Amino acid sequence: MAQDPETYIKLPGKRRRIIVGRDTAYLSPDHLLTIESSGFSEQYKRYYFKDIQAINIIKTRKATITNSILLVLMIGLSVWGAFLYPGEMAPLSVFLWIISAVMLVYFIMNAPQGASCEVWIHTRVQKEKIPSLYASRIVNKAMKILVPAIEKVQGTLGGENLKNARNKLYFKKDDQFTPGTRVKIPRVQQTGGSLIWHRISFPMTMISGALIAVAIVYRPPLFLAFASIWMLSGFAVAVVAGAVQTRTGLSGTVKAATWASAGAYLVILVIGYVETVVGWVTMASELDPFQTQNQWEMFKVYSKMDVLGTPWMFWLNTVQASILMMIGAAGLFLFYKDQNR
Amino acid sequence: MIYCPKCNALIQTAGLNSGSFLPCPVCQTQNQTWLFPEAVNDTEAVRESENLMIRDDAGCFYHPTKQAVIACDACGRFLCALCDVEMDGEHICFSCMSAGKEKKTIKNLENSRFLYDALAVRLALFPVVLFPFWFFSLITAPAGLYISIRHWNSMSSIVPRRKKLRFVVAILVSAMQIAAWGVLVYFFVSNKWD
C-alpha cells in the first residue's frame, strides 16, 4: 500500500527560492510528485498519469527580463563603486562590489539555462503549474522522461487517433469551440494559512525604512533603541510570514516579496552588527569596556555620530531606508492586489 | 478542451504532440502542447452500486441494502462498489483510508511532512554560518542535539534523502559547540578562582 521511497526517480530541474526552500519533481511508476519545500517541511502534490489530459509548455520572458536587469544593475553598481573607491567612501564601494559579485554569480548560474518557460498539467478537474520545470533546457530533458511515462499508462495519441481527438475536442458542438475562444475557468482559492503575518509584516517593513531615514537626521538614544527593537521585531515577523505562507495560496510574487523583506532585514542587521564591531575596534581607545558591554551606553555613543557629515554612512543609511521602503510598499501593493483578485 | 494557461483561450490544434511551439491565437504566447488519450476519454468515472437482490447475498458493511462486491484489504469488511476505494492495486474502505491518512501509514495520501533532520542540521550550523550570532549556539546547539537524538527514527521526506547523514552532522557540530562552551565556562571559572 505504501509507496517505497526508492521507487521515486528525480525529474530534472530544481528551483531554489530567494532565501529558503526549493521546488522539485519526482516520478513514481504511476504518478508525478511535486515537492514544495520550505526548508523545514515539504508539501506534496500528486498527478496520476491516468488522469493527465495534456501538458502545456509556454515560453515566458522572465529570464530575459531578469538577466537584463541584473546585467544593468551589476554594471551600474560596479561603476558607481569604482567612482567612490579612493577616499572616505571606500567602505561603501566595497559594499557595492560585493552586491555586484553576488549578482554576477546569480547571472552566471541562470544564463546557461536558456529561455524561461512554464509547464502546466491539465487534468479533468485542475490546471496546475510545475514550478521545478522553469527553463527550456530543463523542460526538454524532463519531457523526454515524463511523456513516455504517461504514454506507458494511457497509450499514445498519434496519427489518425490524434486527428479524431482534435476534431472531438474542438469541433463537436457546431464549431462553437474553435481555437481562440476564451473559456471561463473558476478560480480555486487555497485556504489554510493565516495572512495576519503578511498584513503586519509589509507595513512594518515600510516603517522600518522610514525609521532608518529619520535616524539620519534625528538620533536621540531612545529613538535608536526603539528603531533597533522595531527592526528586530520586523525581521521576526517577516520570517514567520515566510514560514507560514506555503499553504496560504498567495501568489509567487507576494511570497517572494515576503522573503525579500526578511532577506533585506537580515542583510541590514548583519551590516549593523559589523559596523558595531568595527566601531569597537576603531574607537577602542575612546570607549571604556563598560560602554561596549552596555547596549544603552552604545546607543548614547551612536547618537553622537554625525551621519550627515560622514558620506559613506549617509549613503549606506539612504540605500537601506530606500530598499526597506520599496520592498514594504511593493509587498503591500502586491498583497492587496492578490487579495482582490 | 486544452486552453492557453495565460489567457484561457483555446489553443491551436495544428501543433499538438509535434514538440513545436505555436503562438496562442489570442495572447501570442508560444505554446507547446502534448495531448494524451485521457483528454478524449468520455467514460464517466461514476460507479453505481447494485441493490441487494437476494436475501442470502452478502451486504456492504456501510450500506446493508447494497450488494458487497469486494472485501477491504485492510480490515476485511465487505464493501459495495460505492465504498470500494482502489489505491496502488489494493481495495480499501473509507474508514481504513482516513485511519491510514491520520496515522500516516498510506504514503500516497500524505500531503506534507516535517523534516526534523533539516531542522537539526540548520540549528547546528546557524551559529557557524552566521558567525556574528555565535552566542545563539548556547540555545541552538543543545536543541540541535536533542532533535537529532529524539527524531533519529522519525519519518523524513517520502523521497530518497540522506536523513541519517544530516543527523550525524548535526550531532557532531552541536557536540563541538557544546564542548567549546564547556571549555569557555571552565576557563572563565578557573581564571576567576585563581
Side-chain angles (χ1 to χ4, degrees), chain B residues 6-191:
Chain B
K6 280 283 162 201
C7 67
N8 288 340
L10 284 172
I11 55 159
Q12 289 199 44
T13 58
L16 292 176
N17 292 16
S18 67
S20 55
F21 282 91
L22 288 171
C24 164
V26 174
C27 66
Q28 302 299 315
T29 305
Q30 295 288 318
N31 269 274
Q32 186 193 105
T33 307
W34 295 88
L35 201 64
F36 300 103
E38 175 63 15
V40 284
N41 183 10
D42 286 338
T43 315
E44 291 294 323
V46 178
R47 285 177 293 178
E48 289 179 8
S49 58
E50 290 173 18
N51 280 328
L52 194 61
M53 300 301 289
I54 307 165
R55 187 175 286 185
D56 291 341
D57 278 349
C60 169
F61 179 83
Y62 299 101
H63 305 100
T65 57
K66 305 284 182 186
Q67 189 177 355
V69 290
I70 205 159
C72 172
D73 286 330
C75 65
R77 286 169 180 161
F78 288 171
L79 309 171
C80 64
L82 273 178
C83 298
D84 168 32
V85 180
E86 194 187 342
M87 188 173 287
D88 294 336
E90 296 197 13
H91 296 266
I92 52 172
C93 63
F94 285 112
S95 59
C96 288
M97 196 173 82
S98 57
K101 188 175 181 183
E102 212 168 276
K103 292 176 184 169
K104 300 194 171 183
T105 50
I106 306 176
K107 288 202 174 76
N108 278 357
L109 291 178
E110 283 184 58
N111 53 16
S112 69
R113 272 198 186 178
F114 194 83
L115 307 175
Y116 290 102
D117 53 333
L119 177 64
V121 86
R122 278 175 171 81
L123 279 172
L125 293 177
F126 169 75
V128 180
V129 177
L130 289 173
F131 188 70
F133 301 100
W134 61 271
F135 46 86
F136 276 109
S137 60
L138 191 62
I139 300 160
T140 55
L145 191 65
Y146 170 76
I147 288 166
S148 303
I149 295 165
R150 168 74 180 76
H151 292 284
W152 182 263
N153 287 321
S154 295
M155 285 190 293
S156 184
S157 175
I158 64 170
V159 293
R161 184 179 167 90
R162 291 176 186 149
K163 180 184 87 169
K164 301 276 164 144
L165 181 68
R166 283 185 171 81
F167 277 142
V168 168
V169 170
I171 288 170
L172 287 176
V173 177
S174 300
M176 279 194 282
Q177 289 170 23
I178 292 168
W181 272 106
V183 171
L184 198 72
V185 170
Y186 172 76
F187 276 107
F188 179 75
V189 171
S190 59
N191 284 344

Side-chain angles (χ1 to χ4, degrees), chain A residues 16-291:
Chain A
R16 287 196 179 278
R17 305 278 179 76
I18 292 173
I19 294 177
V20 284
R22 62 178 187 271
D23 295 296
T24 45
Y26 284 79
L27 281 188
S28 95
D30 65 345
H31 67 265
L32 168 72
L33 176 81
T34 61
I35 303 178
E36 191 183 327
S37 169
S38 63
F40 304 112
S41 66
E42 290 180 341
Q43 307 291 321
Y44 306 117
K45 278 184 185 171
R46 293 174 184 81
Y47 305 93
Y48 285 87
F49 294 149
K50 64 182 172 62
D51 299 328
I52 295 174
Q53 293 188 327
I55 295 177
N56 206 252
I57 305 160
I58 57 168
K59 279 187 179 171
T60 64
R61 291 179 191 162
K62 199 177 164 187
T64 318
I65 294 168
T66 311
N67 289 340
S68 308
I69 292 172
L70 271 180
L71 210 61
V72 169
L73 279 176
M74 209 165 63
I75 294 167
L77 291 178
S78 306
V79 172
W80 188 19
F83 273 115
L84 295 175
Y85 183 62
E88 213 177 319
M89 303 285 272
L92 183 62
S93 60
V94 172
F95 175 68
L96 293 173
W97 286 337
I98 290 169
I99 294 178
S100 305
V102 172
M103 286 179 176
L104 180 68
V105 171
Y106 188 79
F107 180 79
I108 290 168
M109 281 166 66
N110 268 335
Q113 301 289 355
S116 55
C117 49
E118 291 176 0
V119 174
W120 292 78
I121 283 194
H122 297 252
T123 68
R124 199 179 281 266
V125 292
Q126 67 194 144
K127 180 187 79 170
E128 295 273 350
K129 189 162 82 169
I130 310 296
S132 63
L133 305 177
Y134 63 91
S136 58
R137 190 165 289 184
I138 293 164
V139 170
N140 289 341
K141 280 185 201 166
M143 294 306 283
K144 281 177 189 163
I145 305 167
L146 186 56
V147 171
I150 298 168
E151 287 180 341
K152 197 177 167 187
V153 173
Q154 291 193 29
T156 52
L157 201 60
E160 197 61 32
N161 286 343
L162 183 63
K163 205 173 174 182
N164 292 339
R166 201 185 291 164
N167 291 337
K168 200 172 177 181
L169 278 173
Y170 290 95
F171 305 110
K172 62 182 174 184
K173 289 181 183 172
D174 308 324
D175 284 352
Q176 190 187 347
F177 300 112
T178 51
T181 309
R182 280 177 192 268
V183 284
K184 279 191 176 177
I185 312 296
R187 184 182 168 82
V188 180
Q189 187 70 40
Q190 288 182 354
T191 53
S194 172
L195 296 176
I196 186 73
W197 296 102
H198 290 81
R199 287 204 174 91
I200 300 170
S201 176
F202 292 127
M204 271 189 99
T205 309
M206 279 175 70
I207 295 169
S208 298
L211 288 175
I212 294 177
V214 172
I216 294 173
V217 287
Y218 179 72
R219 298 175 70 81
L222 195 64
F223 179 76
L224 292 180
F226 171 74
S228 296
I229 293 166
W230 181 274
M231 285 190 58
L232 278 169
S233 313
F235 174 55
V237 170
V239 169
V240 173
V244 301
Q245 69 186 356
T246 316
R247 291 185 190 178
T248 53
L250 286 169
S251 68
T253 44
V254 180
K255 288 179 180 177
T258 310
W259 283 121
S261 162
Y265 273 123
L266 186 65
V267 170
I268 290 167
L269 288 171
V270 170
I271 289 171
Y273 196 87
V274 172
E275 274 185 307
T276 308
V277 173
V278 171
W280 284 347
V281 175
T282 53
M283 296 193 291
S285 55
E286 298 165 35
L287 297 173
D288 65 61
F290 169 74
Q291 276 181 312

